Amino acid sequence: AQKITQTQPGMFVQEKEAVTLDCTYDTSDPSYGLFWYKQPSSGEMIFLIYQGSYDQQNATEGRYSLNFQKARKSANLVISASQLGDSAMYFCAMRDRNTGKLIFGQGTTLQVKP
Amino acid sequence: GAVVSQHPSRVICKSGTSVKIECRSLDFQATTMFWYRQFPKQSLMLMATSNEGSKATYEQGVEKDKFLINHASLTLSTLTVTSAHPEDSSFYICSASKGYPRSDYEQYFGPGTRLTVT
């Protein structure tokens, strides 16, 4: 069975500093996709970044980058130059190749301090 | 592109009544829609997957007679919470996918509906 684990319930970071949010996954499928979403207090799910299991390079999207370590089955999100607006809950998710379902981790609440 | 709307954004209903939540893909055809439920400060839990024109597939432990899902068109899916009770109070989020379940189709999320049952 596929599983996503986020072990950090809450994180603090100083404004303008970088922060890493951890995500590990478990799957026996050689082909999979990994996602990170941001959920502010309004509740909307905002797509941040995607990494395919066969992608040769780590994904990057502006201030977001994904530290993909396939052998360790980890897909950590790195946010550089944190901003106050980054305060939110962050979810790591894996997509089941056959069903298209997303399996979410427990989430990490990030608070950016001024 | 790829905008998904939900209506209503908030709803309060009395215990024992039914409430319908709509999920629409505004600028694309969604062959597959997903319905999630989220309790405060918890993760999203998939309730069911609906494909246009066919019956929804419910996750284990989700009562299909209580949570009725209809995906009547390529742009609309509805979730009806029947005989709602206070424990059904939650944040319901839908997502839509452009393609049939395959790994390379992203899910686009709606803004969610907060249901409160009194």
Side-chain angles (χ1 to χ4, degrees):
Chain A
Q2 296 179 322
K3 189 177 179 182
I4 291 278
T5 304
Q6 293 178 255
T7 57
Q8 305 155 314
M11 290 278 287
F12 288 92
V13 65
Q14 206 69 34
E15 193 178 9
K16 299 180 185 177
E17 292 186 350
V19 63
T20 298
L21 306 184
D22 294 342
C23 173
T24 57
Y25 61 91
D26 192 21
T27 180
S28 57
D29 195 332
S31 177
Y32 49 88
L34 296 161
F35 296 79
W36 276 93
Y37 289 89
K38 172 184 177 181
Q39 188 181 40
S41 57
S42 59
E44 61 184 311
M45 295 290 285
I46 301 169
F47 165 74
L48 296 178
I49 198 166
Y50 168 80
Q51 180 85 43
S53 58
Y54 292 121
D55 292 345
Q56 294 296 313
Q57 297 193 340
N58 287 345
T60 61
E61 289 285 349
R63 294 187 298 111
Y64 304 107
S65 61
L66 202 150
N67 184 0
F68 183 45
Q69 298 191 35
K70 200 169 180 177
R72 292 187 176 185
K73 293 189 175 180
S74 73
N76 298 339
L77 176 71
V78 180
I79 305 174
S80 63
S82 297
Q83 302 171 356
L84 295 178
D86 293 335
S87 294
M89 197 154 185
Y90 289 80
F91 290 99
C92 180
M94 181 188 313
R95 182 168 49 201
D96 182 296
R97 179 171 64 137
N98 294 318
T99 65
K101 296 179 186 178
L102 281 176
I103 299 150
F104 285 88
Q106 302 91 322
T108 296
T109 300
L110 176 67
Q111 291 191 43
V112 180
K113 292 185 172 181
Chain B
V3 179
V4 176
S5 70
Q6 276 184 246
H7 178 80
S9 57
R10 287 179 177 270
V11 59
I12 301 172
C13 70
K14 293 191 174 181
S15 187
T17 62
S18 295
V19 61
K20 181 184 284 188
I21 302 169
E22 292 186 348
C23 176
R24 292 182 185 272
S25 56
L26 299 184
D27 51 3
F28 67 100
Q29 292 186 328
T31 50
T32 305
M33 287 185 170
F34 302 87
W35 285 95
Y36 297 87
R37 182 176 183 177
Q38 185 182 31
F39 291 109
K41 301 203 182 297
Q42 293 189 23
S43 187
L44 280 73
M45 297 301 296
L46 180 66
M47 299 175 67
T49 303
S50 73
N51 293 305
E52 184 266 337
S54 61
K55 288 185 177 180
T57 303
Y58 290 81
E59 294 299 300
Q60 196 170 9
V62 177
E63 299 175 62
K64 57 183 69 177
D65 293 331
K66 183 168 186 61
F67 299 99
L68 301 178
I69 292 171
N70 185 280
H71 193 159
S73 76
L74 285 171
T75 59
L76 174 65
S77 177
T78 59
L79 166 68
T80 301
V81 183
T82 62
S83 186
H85 288 98
E87 56 266 29
D88 299 324
S89 299
S90 188
F91 191 58
Y92 293 87
I93 309 176
C94 73
S95 70
S97 176
K98 292 180 180 178
Y100 287 101
R102 286 178 53 196
S103 63
D104 51 345
Y105 282 109
E106 183 181 338
Q107 287 186 29
Y108 302 94
F109 284 85
T113 296
R114 194 162 303 279
L115 170 64
T116 303
V117 184
T118 61

